[in-house]
Amino acid sequence: MAGNDLIEEIKALEQNALIALDEAQSKESLEEWRISYIGRKGALTSILRQLPSLTPEDRRLLGSIGNKVKTNLEQSFANAEQSLTKSANTNGNPSVDVTMPGRQISIGKLHPTTQILREICDAFVGMGFQVVEGPEVEWDHYNFEKLNIPKDHPARDMWDTLWIDYENDNREKSMLMRTHTSPMQVRIMENSQPPLRVLVPGKCYRYEATDATHESQFYQVEGLVVDQGITFANLKGTLYEFARLLFGTDRKVRFRVDYFPFVEPGAEMAIDCFSCSNGEGCRVCKGTGWIEILGAGMVNPKVLEGLGYDPSIYTGFAFGMGPERIAMLKYGIDDIRLFYSNDVRFLSQF
Ligand code: YSA
């Protein structure tokens, strides 16, 4: 056969061999392919055996083409063998195992403070309260003056204040980070008429050392009810109902007298400490067996008068509670500083 014819033949063989290799999907058919195309008695060898009968020029050309085809076919065979072994390792199934459970996507959660704030708001909304919010940067006028805490009143010491670097016309520091949510009582009474039944969640700031139950930034939820005929019994009934909704009936509640210039009489409410079971006292409750959660009282007639309400017609009660402390009691958190630590190990528990 002439050199040109053999070149055509060898190229056709290469193409046919590659097509046949694609179709060989078992170990046996691969072996058959190897024998018939690149084996010692295979098609390629029998073409190359004809080289000695060619002219030296054709021999060189066909020898070179033949070698390339041989290398290509041997390499393709090795690849096919390898991919057959791989799929055999996956029981002949494709390498993607569709029965495998999907990877779990970690879903973000609401911060425990947000969760408890919502729970507290829900409890009071169920009792007919309306939720409003107010400014965190506040005037002395609202934070203290209108709440019956004039300048130099010793009660100001109850709220260690972070002042804003600003002076009014009298060169007095008059702007501050609100130390409690009570200034909203004033803003609400200034702008609305009774009956009032309002709840104010919001952030507060104090210039004080931190410990297990004190932070320098924390939330409060203020409540204010003003109408004709509101009594201390209404205050107590509302707060006991709140404690029952949040803590159930098993927890002990302590309600006792306290002093705040803007209420008369004043009270505080505490829940038995979760950390020392028998009330013997521990680091969290500072040895008292109780954790104070709120201050409260009947709105002082002086405050009502100062806002244009006639105290012989209208009476009211108010309270201000600490949601982080409530979350501590409810979920057994032994340090309030965890709420602002951004520690995922803590946050992911809720
Ligand atoms: C009292 C009478 C009213 O008619 C209305 C509101 C009040 C509460 C008053 N405005 C007040 O701020 N009282 S308080 O200083 O005792 O704080 C109330 C609650 O806020 C505390 O019981 C506590 O739960 C929380 N709290 C106070 N200081 C805190 C704090 N929580 C975390 N860190 C602090 N530093």
Side-chain angles (χ1 to χ4, degrees), residues 159 180 182 206 208 215 220 222 263 292-295 318 320 322:
W159 296 277
H180 51 172
S182 299
R206 290 190 195 172
E208 62 183 26
E215 254 291 7
Q220 279 192 347
E222 190 84 8
V263 287
E292 179 209 307
I293 59 161
L294 62 86

